[in-house]
Amino acid sequence: MAIGLHESDFKNPVVRWIDQRLPVFTMMQKEYGTFPTPRNFNYFWNFGALAMVNLMIMIATGVFLAMHYAPHTAHAFDSVERIMRDVNYGWLIRYVHMNGASMFFIVVFIHIWRGMYYGSYKAPRELLWMLGVVIFLLMMATAFMGYVLPWGQMSFWGATVITNLFSAFPLVGEWIVSLLWGGFSVDNPTLNRFFSLHYLLPFLIVGVVFLHVVALHITGSNNPLGIEPKGPQDTLPFHPYYTAKDSFGLVIYFIVFAGFVFFAPNYLGHPDNYIPANPLVTPAHIVPEWYFLPFYAILRAVPNKLGGVLLMFGSVAILFVLPWLDSSPVRSMRFRPMARIAFLLWTVCFFVLMYCGAKPPEEPYVIISRIATAYYFAYFLVILPLLARLERPLPLPESIARAVLGGGPLPAGAAAKPMEKA
Amino acid sequence: MFRTKLKAFAVLGGLLAAAPSPAGAAGEAIAIPDTRFSFDGVFGTFDHASAQRGFQVYKEVCSACHAMRQLSYRNLQELGLSEQQVAAIAAQFQVMDGPNDEGQMFERPARPSDRFRSPFPNQQAARAANNGAYPPDLSVIVKARPGGADYIYALLTGYADPPPGVTMMDGMNYNRYFPGHQIAMPAPLNPDQVQYADGTPATVEQMARDVTTFLAWAAEPELEQRRAMGVKVILFLTILAGLAYAVKRKVWADVH
């Protein structure tokens, strides 16, 4: 082997020639072939791969939509209708993109929930978790700006409401708002810059996803037991075991996705967005897309504008410090009987907030939103820190292999929830 | 109509049941009766004869005030009209074209490639001619209203005398299903207002059904192709899921 060349195990001369100079094949083999992965993943561990696929679908469909879309207030609505009617399979591309955004949030919500339930945010995966929160924030910004592009009534009024939130900040608020607008109201400059940023941010997401995956491959994956693999008996090579398992999950995900796209493409949307934007007519109720409803409910639960805005941003920002708020050394909620109940209640609150966010700001929804908001934050700020001290976790299994393959009594917590067979 | 069907196949049914459709959030809580249409459900298709009659209703009644600027005359071929029929329909309308070599705008008979001619040159003209009310463009009206086709049909057949105690604003008409019940549009359909070539009696209900079918097609001309493709895609994916699961079982067989 010549000096300076990478030592390659590949036999194929072409692959070998490339691999010696740019060891991408070695890297793929190491990171996705033999990569040691805990043997006890359940199907919740599919959602990271699903999110990756979803991101690629969004970028691919988005690139084709951008070829036909006209980012101008006078043409945006009509150009979208032209895509639906005159572009070959334009309706398919648009409905995939539109419902792909909803699918992305469904997948990512489950992915985040998985991380919270099984304690994937805990040491040594804090930075991996925080990069995930960054991706989530970028996704929210991208989705919001994407929803503005068809320039329907909800696009316009949603943009007006959300951008106006920044005016609540003292001193810099007004400046931020005119920067977002590119003028003194939501208008053509706003649409132009939102289109530009909507095209840009997904590539930033790709970058952060790359870092997210790199960090994951340093620490290795968490698993449903929340204990670290102790040796080769606890792990399996990623391929073929998890490539096969992810493939099955992927097909199921495609079936759900196709169900929306082909049979209920507008179910998750709002009819008002098929009315062209009109700055002179305000819709009866301005509601954001479904995936923003929990955060919208938190915003409206606070009677003070600045307070509401801070709490809304805080509801996501608090995830950044979750690894330090929850100092319990036990990761998986399977072994935390009290935290588990508290977290399932938090999950209920999330859906309650989603429900209230879609309702008009009147009783009883306001008081329900307030209670749910209080619990949302109390879970992070009070319950988790307290439980870390007070809770008596169940005994952890000795090792993953022992828990999965038997050879000893299973811990009570692991038996309570049937072990994922696959 | 969609909502119940959807839950039958959505794997995330539980999640959806917990998450209300934002579509249900806005608007008045007036119950819209469920009307049976040919295009209802997962496998429904457009009744082309009904949609063609509906186009006649649109052309002879609605188009006096309502534009449909997203549609072109050529699109009518999708409803089963021949190229010659479409060309003849288009030629009935004068559209503005130009500028010509002398820099002048001129009118000419419409071609199949032209968009439906709008009744008013702009929104201001439309408002001025309609007591300040703007007759909305009907291209995607079925997608733009909660309740969709059911709502359009209910609205067209929902005109009635105001109940006692309700004072109507000047120039407004009582409608059972319009949000707030006061609508600027007078009852557009009267018995035998159009004469159907196929002899179908032109009752208000029949015309409302036909024009709603036409508008549903106009809003979602891809609907039939979309559903047909969806059936194939989901069948394919279901088989693929079975194969993927079998592969996964086989791969994992030796580690349990």
Side-chain angles (χ1 to χ4, degrees):
Chain A
M1 191 191 76
I3 302 229
L5 285 183
H6 177 78
E7 196 166 339
S8 179
D9 296 332
F10 287 89
K11 297 279 176 284
N12 181 304
V14 178
V15 171
R16 187 183 172 81
W17 188 89
I18 295 172
D19 201 51
Q20 285 171 334
R21 286 155 181 82
L22 184 69
V24 284
F25 294 98
T26 300
M27 186 198 80
M28 285 306 286
Q29 180 64 20
K30 175 167 174 284
E31 303 299 338
Y32 288 99
T34 56
F35 190 69
T37 314
R39 63 190 303 151
N40 61 331
F41 281 178
N42 57 29
Y43 277 101
F44 277 118
W45 265 261
N46 279 11
F47 286 85
L50 297 185
M52 178 79 101
V53 171
N54 205 319
L55 176 62
M56 293 189 292
I57 292 174
M58 295 306 279
I59 290 176
T61 49
V63 165
F64 284 102
L65 287 177
M67 292 178 190
H68 304 281
Y69 170 76
H72 188 285
T73 52
H75 304 295
F77 188 91
D78 290 351
S79 72
V80 171
E81 274 307 311
R82 191 172 163 76
I83 290 170
M84 294 296 291
R85 289 158 194 277
D86 289 339
V87 173
N88 290 332
Y89 293 102
W91 58 268
L92 180 60
I93 300 170
R94 172 170 178 250
Y95 277 158
V96 168
H97 196 74
M98 196 172 117
N99 288 284
S102 286
M103 288 303 293
F104 207 174
F105 276 93
I106 291 174
V107 164
V108 164
F109 279 148
I110 296 173
H111 188 62
I112 294 173
W113 187 92
R114 196 277 327 264
M116 291 173 76
Y117 186 84
Y118 294 108
S120 304
Y121 50 84
K122 294 188 184 183
R125 299 184 182 84
E126 305 95 322
L127 196 55
L128 169 61
W129 168 262
M130 291 164 83
L131 286 167
V133 180
V134 171
I135 296 169
F136 183 50
L137 282 171
L138 286 171
M139 260 180 76
M140 291 172 100
T142 309
F144 163 66
M145 288 189 282
Y147 193 60
V148 175
L149 302 185
W151 209 243
Q153 272 290 66
M154 278 299 158
S155 298
F156 179 86
W157 289 99
T160 302
V161 169
I162 301 300
T163 50
N164 255 315
L165 294 179
F166 290 89
S167 70
F169 293 117
L171 300 175
V172 292
E174 295 295 333
W175 180 77
I176 295 175
V177 172
S178 41
L179 197 66
L180 287 169
W181 286 348
F184 303 101
S185 66
V186 175
D187 208 335
N188 199 46
T190 325
L191 181 59
N192 286 168
R193 64 192 54 195
F194 277 22
F195 177 57
S196 171
L197 292 172
H198 182 72
Y199 209 119
L200 170 70
L201 291 192
F203 296 98
L204 293 187
I205 294 179
V206 169
V208 186
V209 165
F210 179 76
L211 297 179
H212 190 68
V213 171
V214 170
L216 173 73
H217 282 234
I218 297 298
T219 61
S221 296
N222 187 30
N223 64 78
L225 293 173
I227 56 176
E228 291 296 326
K230 293 190 170 67
Q233 75 281 6
D234 289 344
T235 63
L236 294 168
F238 188 82
H239 180 74
Y241 294 99
Y242 286 109
T243 43
K245 190 162 179 169
D246 282 349
S247 299
F248 175 60
L250 188 64
V251 179
I252 298 297
Y253 153 87
F254 278 140
I255 291 177
V256 176
F257 199 161
F260 278 118
V261 167
F262 293 106
F263 297 106
N266 294 302
Y267 177 77
L268 294 168
H270 196 293
D272 277 20
N273 227 28
Y274 282 108
I275 304 171
N278 185 346
L280 300 177
V281 180
T282 317
H285 299 292
I286 302 172
V287 279
E289 287 283 82
W290 70 269
Y291 36 82
F292 290 139
L293 290 174
F295 310 101
Y296 192 55
I298 291 175
L299 169 79
R300 296 193 305 181
V302 186
N304 171 290
K305 186 177 175 186
L306 179 59
V309 172
L310 288 177
L311 230 53
M312 184 183 71
F313 287 120
S315 65
V316 179
I318 201 165
L319 295 174
F320 279 113
V321 289
L322 177 57
W324 294 276
L325 291 172
D326 179 9
S327 54
S328 166
V330 177
R331 291 200 192 106
S332 175
M333 296 264 180
R334 282 187 188 177
F335 306 107
R336 302 186 63 191
M338 291 164 81
R340 177 181 181 163
I341 293 167
F343 178 61
L344 293 179
L345 206 56
W346 180 90
T347 312
V348 171
C349 274
F350 186 82
F351 283 110
V352 167
L353 285 169
M354 189 181 277
Y355 179 77
C356 290
K359 294 291 175 188
E362 57 196 35
E363 296 302 346
Y365 306 114
V366 175
I367 185 71
I368 296 173
S369 306
R370 286 185 182 157
I371 295 168
T373 303
Y375 186 80
Y376 182 102
F377 284 97
Y379 172 77
F380 292 113
L381 296 172
V382 182
I383 296 174
L384 277 182
L386 275 184
L387 283 184
R389 290 194 182 79
L390 302 179
E391 187 182 38
R392 213 185 129 90
L394 302 174
L396 294 176
E398 270 173 53
S399 74
I400 295 172
R402 208 171 158 81
V404 177
L405 303 174
L410 284 181
K417 192 168 182 184
M419 186 64 62
E420 172 55 48
K421 180 104 173 80
Chain B
M1 48 172 193
F2 256 158
R3 212 143 298 172
T4 45
K5 295 280 171 6
L6 175 76
K7 285 192 179 119
F9 67 80
V11 177
L12 288 170
L15 186 73
L16 287 174
S21 164
E28 300 281 322
I30 304 173
I32 306 295
D34 193 8
T35 310
R36 289 297 305 166
F37 287 107
S38 57
F39 49 89
D40 275 354
V42 174
F43 301 109
T45 52
F46 294 116
D47 176 345
H48 283 197
S50 176
Q52 285 185 21
R53 290 194 299 269
F55 170 66
Q56 186 186 346
V57 176
Y58 169 74
K59 188 164 71 94
E60 294 177 15
V61 184
C62 318
S63 70
C65 303
H66 292 277
M68 291 186 83
R69 64 200 175 90
Q70 308 292 353
L71 275 85
S72 304
Y73 295 108
R74 64 182 158 84
N75 296 136
L76 293 170
Q77 276 185 258
E78 297 163 33
L79 287 181
L81 296 179
S82 70
E83 214 174 323
Q84 290 76 14
Q85 283 171 311
V86 170
I89 288 168
Q92 296 169 12
F93 299 95
Q94 292 288 315
V95 294
M96 187 67 84
D97 200 350
N100 61 15
D101 291 345
E102 280 85 49
Q104 303 299 315
M105 302 301 283
F106 60 95
E107 289 211 324
R108 59 160 174 80
R111 302 183 198 114
S113 58
D114 283 313
R115 298 290 179 103
F116 278 21
R117 192 192 59 182
S118 298
F120 301 105
N122 51 56
Q123 202 183 118
Q124 286 80 348
R127 281 189 192 278
N130 288 285
N131 271 332
Y134 173 57
D137 186 287
L138 298 181
S139 309
V140 287
I141 200 79
V142 170
K143 286 199 285 189
R145 292 291 180 276
D150 290 340
Y151 169 76
I152 302 297
Y153 179 83
L155 184 90
L156 290 174
T157 55
Y159 283 88
D161 292 327
V166 174
T167 4
M168 301 300 291
M169 286 189 292
D170 202 28
M172 299 300 253
N173 307 277
Y174 187 83
N175 189 297
R176 287 196 297 266
Y177 301 107
F178 189 71
H181 298 298
Q182 306 208 19
I183 184 168
M185 174 170 73
L189 300 174
N190 299 296
D192 297 318
Q193 192 162 355
V194 301
Q195 192 143 32
Y196 284 138
D198 61 1
T200 308
T203 61
V204 171
E205 286 75 18
Q206 185 63 46
M207 288 185 288
R209 169 175 291 279
D210 291 341
V211 81
T212 303
T213 303
F214 169 69
L215 292 175
W217 163 78
E220 297 187 283
E222 87 297 343
L223 178 137
E224 292 179 359
Q225 189 195 7
R226 169 158 61 75
R227 287 176 180 173
M229 189 190 285
V231 170
K232 285 181 227 161
V233 167
I234 293 207
L235 274 178
F236 168 80
L237 287 173
T238 309
I239 295 166
L240 187 64
L243 291 174
Y245 188 67
V247 169
K248 186 249 160 200
R249 289 277 298 209
K250 186 150 174 64
V251 166
W252 280 76
D254 59 338
V255 293
H256 284 300

